[in-house]
Amino acid sequence: RFTDNINNFQLGVLEALRFTTLRLKDSLTRMGDADAYDPDLESALNLLMNRATLFWFPSAESSYGEAIDHLKDFLVKLEKGQRHFYYRSDNLLLLVSTYRDLLGNVNRSLIRQDVGWFESDDYFYYAKGVAHVYFEILKVVRVGFESQLSQTLDAIAIMDEILHELLRAEEMDPWLVLNSGSNSFFANHRANLNAPLSEVAHLLVVLSQL
């Protein structure tokens, strides 16, 4: 409880992983609606939904560790050809739309005016956690879905710009998160972080409409 910056970063990571695992379970690894859900992905998603502040049985830490084990088991099935990953344009669109929706909530939290100095870093590091997962996952999406992206004019360039803006967010690491006004001599780090993430949200909307 004395490491709230790390805690809030981890909460952002957790939230983005929940949305990613949901898409992995529902669409990215299914041929269609008639295709059965993978039990390891179902278990992983259920375990990731446990409250992060749950210290007793089952603790959040043990639940998340078990979720990772299920994701590793699913990876083994992929490697053995027992399950498949479907690189389709509709799957890409669903993932992009899901990321866009979560990022919209992040943007709103970064521009809120009623946030005190001692809360500002909570929103900042939560947003950093979400952005970190997006950056790592979308780097893989850029490669895996390259043929789908190349079918649409400017889609690859847009994805590259998204990754560039996420990298900007990744590199923001102030020694102290400040919450000054727009006309202040000091920085407002939430607003600074919102600039690249707002551009990412915009570009995700554009990408989802191509």
Side-chain angles (χ1 to χ4, degrees):
R1 291 185 180 274
F2 295 101
T3 58
D4 64 325
N5 291 344
I6 295 174
N7 294 347
N8 282 290
F9 181 87
Q10 291 175 336
L11 282 173
V13 168
L14 175 62
E15 192 75 352
L17 282 177
R18 286 168 173 165
F19 278 82
T20 303
T21 306
L22 176 64
R23 289 274 63 88
L24 194 62
K25 176 183 79 73
D26 283 354
S27 56
L28 292 167
T29 59
R30 298 173 69 213
M31 177 65 76
D33 292 339
D35 200 0
Y37 294 112
D38 182 84
D40 279 308
L41 293 180
E42 286 189 293
S43 296
L45 182 60
N46 290 335
L47 289 162
L48 288 172
M49 289 300 179
N50 276 18
R51 286 189 297 117
T53 54
L54 195 63
F55 296 111
W56 299 104
F57 305 103
S59 69
E61 184 177 357
S62 63
S63 294
Y64 302 154
E66 191 176 344
I68 291 172
D69 289 338
H70 281 292
L71 291 173
K72 289 179 178 178
D73 290 341
F74 174 75
L75 178 60
V76 171
K77 286 187 282 189
L78 278 179
E79 292 170 343
K80 291 182 177 180
Q82 297 168 349
R83 297 294 297 186
H84 301 283
F85 193 96
Y86 297 103
Y87 291 100
R88 300 196 311 259
S89 297
D90 58 331
N91 283 340
L92 175 61
L93 179 61
L94 284 169
L95 181 65
V96 167
S97 298
T98 298
Y99 279 6
R100 178 196 64 203
D101 292 343
L102 175 57
L103 195 54
N105 292 329
V106 171
N107 291 141
R108 283 189 288 274
S109 73
L110 291 175
I111 62 174
R112 283 181 56 182
Q113 299 297 314
D114 58 341
V115 176
W117 277 81
F118 295 106
E119 299 174 301
S120 184
D121 59 340
D122 296 345
Y123 292 103
F124 180 88
Y125 283 102
Y126 174 84
K128 284 266 294 180
V130 172
H132 174 69
V133 173
Y134 281 15
F135 183 56
E136 296 300 328
I137 296 294
L138 291 178
K139 281 193 295 185
V140 178
V141 167
R142 167 66 172 78
V143 176
F145 284 92
E146 184 174 9
S147 62
Q148 287 74 24
L149 290 166
S150 62
Q151 294 173 9
T152 304
L153 184 66
D154 295 331
I156 288 180
I158 291 171
M159 181 63 78
D160 287 340
E161 184 61 24
I162 288 171
L163 291 172
H164 171 72
E165 296 297 329
L166 288 170
L167 179 60
R168 286 182 58 203
E170 281 272 275
E171 292 175 342
M172 288 189 187
D173 189 24
W175 182 77
L176 178 66
V177 176
L178 301 178
N179 193 38
S180 301
S182 57
N183 295 320
S184 173
F185 176 78
F186 296 102
N188 184 317
H189 288 109
R190 282 189 302 122
N192 291 346
L193 181 59
N194 186 59
L197 294 187
S198 180
E199 181 63 14
V200 170
H202 166 69
L203 291 171
L204 289 174
V205 171
V206 173
L207 192 62
S208 66
Q209 295 174 344
L210 293 178

